[in-house]
Amino acid sequence: VTAGMRLDDNDDFGRHTSYRLSAAYVVDLGAGSNIKYRASFGTGFRAPSLSEIAYNAGPSAYAPATLAELTEETSEGYEFAVEYFGNEGLYLEAVYFDQELTDELYFDLIAFSGYLQAEGQGHSSGVELSVEQAFASGLWLSANYTYNETESPGDVNRSRRPEHLANLSLSYDILPDRWSVIVNYRVAKDAVNEIFGLGFVELDDYEVLDLSTNYSLTEQASVYLRVENATNEDYEEVTGYQTAGSSLYVGARYSF
């Protein structure tokens, strides 16, 4: 069981006390396996930073940011989780999380006027599932999935936060401690973005495949090859900002 407390005394934004409580309990299943149950609850406080305040007061900002009187943002959240550690390299995890954010500070990505503040409460809740498995053959698998249900103070989804996000990673040692190959696959679905004059619009779902390999010439020297977005997926994580297409990188490393 752990407990922590923090006191912020800010001349401009007042005195705030935040805290965090957590607990974990491990059950030994025998034969090298166990289950861990854990939970946590915490609160947070953040005053506008000097750079955020200075930007809004500087020549690069304009309305509505220059008209905004930034105040502190606060948050509170909790999570419950179960973890399983197997005796043959298997790891499983399930997490439920819930978070509320009040008066969130953010940069205006619609009109680029400066820093703004969302009046009221934003909310995120969902589940995260993870699995890892190491095999004697040199194959290692890792996968995770997140379902994230969000809501902004305007009763719409929070911008640029996919409702469904999944990752799959495979690593294989062709020659142990010498030559390895890694495959990463990422899927994101059901995200929205706020656009000036149009409100909230849906972002396209996307699937991205990355490939890489690394070969050790000596203990100090290695060469690598990496292919990002191997299928040349055309997608945006922020409306109007294209991501790179297929990209090839070849390089060498040397450690002294």
Side-chain angles (χ1 to χ4, degrees):
V1 177
T2 65
M5 183 175 292
R6 170 178 171 141
L7 174 66
D8 289 272
D9 193 356
N10 190 294
D11 288 345
D12 295 320
F13 302 101
R15 180 177 295 181
H16 294 264
T17 301
S18 53
Y19 58 90
R20 184 175 187 273
L21 305 172
S22 66
Y25 184 74
V26 179
V27 178
D28 188 354
L29 302 178
S33 300
N34 59 68
I35 288 182
K36 177 192 288 186
Y37 302 96
R38 58 182 175 85
S40 65
F41 176 82
T43 63
F45 156 81
R46 186 175 83 85
S49 68
L50 295 177
S51 62
E52 290 168 340
I53 295 172
Y55 188 96
N56 279 12
S60 299
Y62 50 89
T66 52
L67 303 177
E69 294 185 7
L70 300 181
T71 63
E72 67 274 15
E73 67 175 29
T74 58
S75 63
E76 69 174 36
Y78 63 89
E79 70 174 33
F80 300 100
V82 179
E83 298 175 79
Y84 172 77
F85 302 86
N87 61 352
E88 296 182 353
L90 176 63
Y91 171 76
L92 301 172
E93 180 185 43
V95 182
Y96 174 80
F97 62 89
D98 190 288
Q99 182 192 49
E100 286 189 352
L101 186 60
T102 303
D103 300 333
E104 179 183 8
L105 295 160
Y106 65 95
F107 187 79
D108 180 10
L109 288 175
I110 302 175
F112 300 95
S113 63
Y115 288 91
L116 299 175
Q117 193 156 26
E119 296 182 1
Q121 288 185 335
H123 184 254
S124 296
S125 63
V127 295
E128 293 179 339
L129 305 175
S130 302
V131 57
E132 294 181 10
Q133 175 69 69
F135 299 92
S137 62
L139 178 66
W140 178 80
L141 178 148
S142 174
N144 61 71
Y145 165 75
T146 301
Y147 172 74
N148 186 14
E149 184 177 3
T150 66
E151 185 179 333
S152 70
D155 293 329
V156 292
N157 290 350
R158 299 176 70 185
S159 283
R160 301 175 298 279
R161 289 169 174 81
E163 188 171 9
H164 303 277
L165 184 64
N167 295 277
L168 173 65
S169 180
L170 294 172
S171 175
Y172 181 64
D173 291 331
I174 299 175
L175 296 176
D177 300 322
R178 192 171 185 87
W179 186 13
S180 62
V181 176
I182 300 174
V183 178
N184 291 300
Y185 181 65
R186 183 171 79 256
V187 179
K189 294 185 176 183
D190 299 336
V192 298
N193 192 42
E194 191 174 5
I195 302 177
F196 181 68
L198 296 177
F200 283 86
V201 299
E202 292 185 2
L203 288 168
D204 289 338
D205 301 339
Y206 64 86
E207 302 174 7
V208 177
L209 177 66
D210 299 325
L211 309 170
S212 64
T213 183
N214 186 86
Y215 186 82
S216 298
L217 302 172
T218 66
E219 290 185 358
Q220 290 79 30
S222 64
V223 293
Y224 65 88
L225 182 147
R226 187 171 77 249
V227 181
E228 296 183 354
N229 193 4
T231 59
N232 200 32
E233 180 82 355
D234 184 14
Y235 70 101
E236 296 177 348
E237 295 180 292
V238 178
T239 303
Y241 287 80
Q242 283 283 357
T243 51
S246 295
S247 304
L248 174 67
Y249 300 86
V250 179
R253 298 186 182 93
Y254 187 87
S255 301
F256 295 92

